[in-house]
Each structure stands twice: as structure tokens, then as C-alpha cells.
Amino acid sequence: MPIIDLRFALEQTPEVLKGVPLTLTISIISMALGSIFGLFIAVCRIYKIPLLKQIAIIYVSFMRGTPLLVQLYVFFYGIPIFIEFLNETQGWHLGGDTISPLIYALIAYTLNTSAYQSEVFRSSIQTIDRGQFEAAYSIGMTTFQAIKRIIFPQSLVAAIPNLGNIFISLIKATSLAFAVKVVEIMAISKVIANDGYRYLEMYLVASLIYWILCFFFERLFVVIEKKLSYYELREEVRSAS
């Protein structure tokens, strides 16, 4: 009996690939929503908004200081209990049991990645020369307009490498979603491995798929970073001239 049954692995690869769309869905949606929430948190901390700043500090510390798997379990088991509590106290009739496991996963991954992205945005925004704010104010811009039109575009260039790393880490972290019944790459691999008693083969297939996905997005972020750096350099040359 061979140590690795390559034929079995190749035959089951197309089945495992069916989990790729869901893996990417979780990663992309969580990253997009996490960017919005993370930017908000960063702004609250940078401008020291009363109360929100303290809440943001505690939130970031908690989300970064607890395992993602634990957070998945907390939302998966906690949200239905909270909904049941609301039904009993408020007389509502919400169906907590009918919520898709995907929703719990999206909530957990979004909140988790927003904490990491907030730190990336905070550090990149703080690298921007404060004189640019003064220049924006001198031509009548508000703080929000200055951030939107001047500060954020520049900070995004500086943040792209770290955001790329977070996204790649997020793709790999989706392998934990099977713990809350989300049928993605890892879940499908585990089911096939259990049925065929070929654990090594299926986990190798899953690892190769994750590696290919991460390699693709790694190269994609490198291209994006180069293009943004090119446009930034061109703008600097234009301003200098």
C-alpha cells in the first residue's frame, strides 16, 4: 500500500476546489468590511475622540489578543443566545436558529481583521506630514475632505503591503471556518478524508490550494503596490516642477 495515493488525491481535487469560491467570498467580504470599520477605529484613535478612543483601544486589544477560533465559537454560540434573550425580554420573534453559519463566520472574520487593519491605517496616516492638513485647511477644506482627498490616498500607498499580508493571512485563517459548519476548502477536505481514510492526501491537496491562492494574491498586491508607487512618484515630480 503506497504511503500517498496520488490517484485518490487527483480524483478528489476538483471536489475540494468547489470550496474555493466560499473561501474567497469570506476573505474578500471580511477584508472590505474590515477596511471600513478599521479606518473608522483608526480615525477615532488618531483624533482622540472622547469615549470612542477608549472603546477602540480595548476593542483592538481584545480582538488581537484572543484566538480567532475562540472568536468564531463565541459568535457562533453567543449570537443565538443573545437573540433568544431579546425574544424573551422584548417579545420579538427573531429566528436565531435559521441564521446561516456563513453569517457568523463573516461577523467574526470582519471584526477580527478590522482590528489589525485599524493599526495599519493608524500607522500609515500618522506618517503623513501634518503640513498637508494645514495646506488643505488654507484652501477651505474640512478635516473630512482633507482626509478623503489628500491623506487617505497617500496613506493607502503606504498601507498596501501590510494590507496584502493581512488579506493573505485571512485566506489561510478561513480554514478555521469549518469549526462553525462553513463548508469551505478545509471542511470539504476533512469530509473526503473521513470518508476515504486518506487524511494525508486530502490535507496536502488543501495545502496546495491555499498556497496557490496566497501566491496569486501575493503577486497581485505586488503589482498594485508598484502601480500606486508609480502614480505617487509621478505626482511628486509634477508637484516639484
Side-chain angles (χ1 to χ4, degrees):
M1 183 177 178
I3 297 176
I4 298 178
D5 190 341
L6 293 178
R7 180 178 178 182
F8 179 83
L10 291 173
E11 288 176 349
Q12 298 301 327
T13 297
E15 193 66 26
V16 179
L17 287 171
K18 292 180 180 179
V20 171
L22 189 54
T23 292
L24 293 180
T25 297
I26 296 173
S27 302
I28 293 172
I29 293 178
S30 299
M31 188 72 182
L33 296 178
S35 296
I36 298 171
F37 195 27
L39 181 60
F40 173 75
I41 295 171
V43 171
C44 289
R45 295 188 65 180
I46 291 172
Y47 292 98
K48 302 178 181 178
I49 300 176
L51 185 60
L52 291 180
K53 177 191 173 184
Q54 286 72 23
I55 294 175
I57 292 173
I58 295 172
Y59 169 82
V60 171
S61 176
F62 178 81
M63 298 306 292
R64 296 180 67 188
T66 55
L68 177 56
L69 182 59
V70 174
Q71 295 170 19
L72 281 166
Y73 282 137
V74 167
F75 288 109
F76 184 71
Y77 292 107
I79 292 178
I81 294 174
F82 180 67
I83 291 176
E84 184 179 350
F85 171 76
L86 291 177
N87 289 339
E88 293 177 355
T89 58
Q90 304 297 324
W92 295 350
H93 301 284
L94 301 175
D97 295 335
T98 61
I99 299 176
S100 168
L102 177 60
I103 301 300
Y104 297 120
L106 287 174
I107 293 173
Y109 283 107
T110 296
L111 295 180
N112 179 271
T113 190
S114 68
Y116 288 92
Q117 291 190 67
S118 70
E119 291 298 281
V120 172
F121 285 127
R122 187 166 69 94
S123 60
S124 61
I125 290 174
Q126 289 178 329
T127 61
I128 305 301
D129 186 4
R130 296 293 299 180
Q132 298 199 34
F133 271 109
E134 297 175 2
Y137 295 148
S138 68
I139 59 175
M141 283 189 181
T142 63
T143 299
F144 176 77
Q145 289 174 328
I147 292 175
K148 178 182 177 182
R149 299 181 183 180
I150 299 176
I151 305 302
F152 180 70
Q154 293 183 67
S155 64
L156 184 61
V157 175
I160 281 295
N162 288 326
L163 291 178
N165 291 334
I166 290 175
F167 184 71
I168 290 172
S169 296
L170 189 56
I171 291 176
K172 294 182 288 186
T174 58
S175 61
L176 297 174
F178 82 92
V180 291
K181 303 179 181 179
V182 177
V183 186
E184 40 67 67
I185 294 173
M186 194 61 187
I188 295 175
S189 300
K190 189 175 181 64
V191 170
I192 296 174
N194 288 336
D195 291 341
Y197 296 100
R198 286 290 182 177
Y199 295 94
L200 178 59
E201 286 85 348
M202 296 320 302
Y203 292 148
L204 283 175
V205 168
S207 64
L208 285 173
I209 293 174
Y210 281 118
W211 175 59
I212 292 171
L213 288 174
C214 291
F215 180 79
F216 170 78
F217 283 103
E218 179 185 351
R219 303 313 303 168
L220 179 61
F221 275 100
V222 168
V223 172
I224 293 173
E225 182 184 356
K226 287 182 178 179
K227 287 190 175 182
L228 289 176
S229 299
Y230 169 75
Y231 287 123
E232 182 183 37
L233 178 61
R234 191 173 66 177
E235 289 298 322
E236 291 178 355
V237 172
R238 182 183 299 176
S239 300
S241 60

